[in-house]
Amino acid sequence: MHLVNYEEAAENIWVGKIDHRLNRDIISRVSGPATFCLTFFFEGNGCFSLDNGQAIQIESNTVLLFYSPGETCGTDRLTKDTQLKCLHLRFPVKLAADFEKMLTYFVPAFKANASTHDSLLASVPMNALLKGIAQDIFECKLPAGFARQLYLQAKALESLAYLVHFLEQDRADIPLTLFERQRIYQAVELINEQYDQAWTISSLAKTVGLNEKKLKTGFKSLIRSTVHGYLERTRLTVATEMLKDGKSITETALATGYANPSHFSKYFKKHYHMPPREWLKLTIH
């Protein structure tokens, strides 16, 4: 992707970042050698496709997996008037050897799958833990040097380890139909986009068209969290960004769905082990 700015985290591990407003539609042909990479989309709208394959949608809060053992070609389509913000991690192809053996096993855990006979192209939801790791990499403030490379290498491998873990757990858990998986992913997207709403099991289940029991068990199976736990982590992740952008604690609390600053501070301290004001001082300085 030509908009990416890359830096080397370690030998054959590369980190690329994009945070760019698109003022026109972009359609580009891409080709390259054997590749194993993950792309974490914080924001974005468009699609990717491999030659002779179906298109896979780019959506906010989605992780795109791509692996090809040889040269491959495809097409990128990015939509104008949207913000494209993503983290691209490129790993040594040899790391994909064991991963490749498990691809067939992982298929039922994918949200979308546009793979071809010789390449993997699939997506999974970016849960709160994966998003936190990706944000740590994206926002790394260490200066250029060995310490920065070591940090980026460790976090990149951490993201891959947790992704494999979640795929293993998702595949091993109780069976869900394709319809049920789609509805649970829809519930995740609703929380990601409307975190300020007072979601309950009942209201979320009704909105996506599942019964409450199936939503609860399916959510824990696919997302590795309770509905309430995921909602709180999503709200707090957004809250940290707002605080770093200079928003007040009161403004942040109300914008992320908390009834008042006191309620917000209680959950913030429970999650980050310190009040928001103290956390902000440590983060900024």
Side-chain angles (χ1 to χ4, degrees):
M1 191 181 296
H2 63 283
L3 296 173
V4 185
N5 294 315
Y6 283 104
E7 66 174 299
E8 189 171 14
E11 185 177 359
N12 293 323
I13 296 181
W14 291 82
V15 175
K17 298 187 288 186
I18 301 175
D19 193 359
H20 186 76
R21 183 76 180 178
L22 303 179
N23 55 20
R24 61 183 178 86
D25 290 332
I26 297 176
I27 301 177
S28 58
R29 289 283 297 163
V30 291
S31 63
T35 303
F36 177 43
C37 58
L38 306 177
T39 306
F40 298 78
F41 286 96
F42 303 106
E43 299 178 72
N45 187 23
C47 63
F48 294 154
S49 61
L50 298 172
D51 284 0
N52 302 315
Q54 297 180 335
I56 194 165
Q57 194 70 25
I58 298 171
E59 299 175 319
S60 299
N61 297 300
T62 297
V63 183
L64 201 66
L65 297 82
F66 176 59
Y67 167 64
S68 177
E71 185 170 346
T72 187
C73 299
T75 303
D76 297 344
R77 294 178 175 85
L78 302 172
T79 306
K80 69 176 180 179
D81 299 327
T82 58
Q83 187 72 22
L84 178 63
K85 181 179 180 181
C86 64
L87 174 74
H88 185 75
L89 303 179
R90 185 183 299 168
F91 297 94
V93 175
K94 63 183 180 181
L95 269 183
D98 290 333
F99 191 82
E100 183 180 13
K101 297 173 186 177
M102 297 186 285
L103 291 183
T104 301
Y105 181 76
F106 284 154
V107 166
F110 295 148
K111 178 182 179 181
N113 188 1
S115 301
T116 61
H117 71 283
D118 58 356
S119 299
L120 166 74
L121 180 62
S123 67
V124 297
M126 180 163 56
N127 62 29
L129 179 55
L130 289 173
K131 188 172 186 177
I133 297 171
Q135 286 178 324
D136 286 344
I137 299 173
F138 199 94
E139 298 169 2
C140 177
K141 292 181 173 58
L142 290 172
F146 180 68
R148 180 180 176 87
Q149 287 184 312
L150 190 62
Y151 178 85
L152 294 176
Q153 178 188 23
K155 298 299 285 188
L157 291 173
E158 181 185 14
S159 73
L160 179 60
Y162 272 109
L163 179 62
V164 171
H165 170 69
F166 290 135
L167 288 172
E168 288 176 333
Q169 292 299 312
D170 291 350
R171 180 62 180 83
D173 277 333
I174 59 174
L176 294 168
T177 67
L178 177 60
F179 173 85
E180 290 165 346
R181 285 178 177 270
Q182 290 174 337
R183 293 302 178 270
I184 291 166
Y185 289 141
Q186 183 183 350
V188 170
E189 290 170 1
L190 281 171
I191 290 175
N192 288 339
E193 295 170 2
Q194 302 176 30
Y195 46 79
D196 59 329
Q197 299 299 306
W199 291 111
T200 63
I201 295 290
S202 176
S203 64
L204 198 57
K206 184 177 181 179
T207 301
V208 301
L210 280 180
N211 65 58
E212 295 182 26
K213 181 178 180 180
K214 183 62 70 173
L215 178 67
K216 288 192 292 185
T217 56
F219 213 92
K220 291 191 72 174
S221 172
L222 288 179
I223 312 304
R224 316 309 302 167
S225 172
T226 63
V227 173
H228 178 73
Y230 186 80
L231 175 61
E232 290 302 330
R233 285 196 298 275
T234 301
R235 285 175 168 177
L236 291 171
T237 297
V238 174
T240 59
E241 293 303 306
M242 293 185 66
L243 291 172
K244 286 189 286 188
D245 286 342
K247 301 295 190 298
S248 69
I249 291 176
T250 298
E251 184 179 4
T252 299
L254 298 179
T256 51
Y258 293 95
N260 54 63
S262 178
H263 192 214
F264 166 67
S265 295
K266 173 185 174 183
Y267 278 96
F268 193 99
K269 185 175 181 180
K270 180 179 179 181
H271 187 79
Y272 292 104
H273 308 293
M274 65 183 72
R277 200 175 304 279
E278 183 179 342
W279 176 90
L280 190 58
K281 290 180 180 178
L282 290 174
T283 301
I284 291 178
H285 301 294

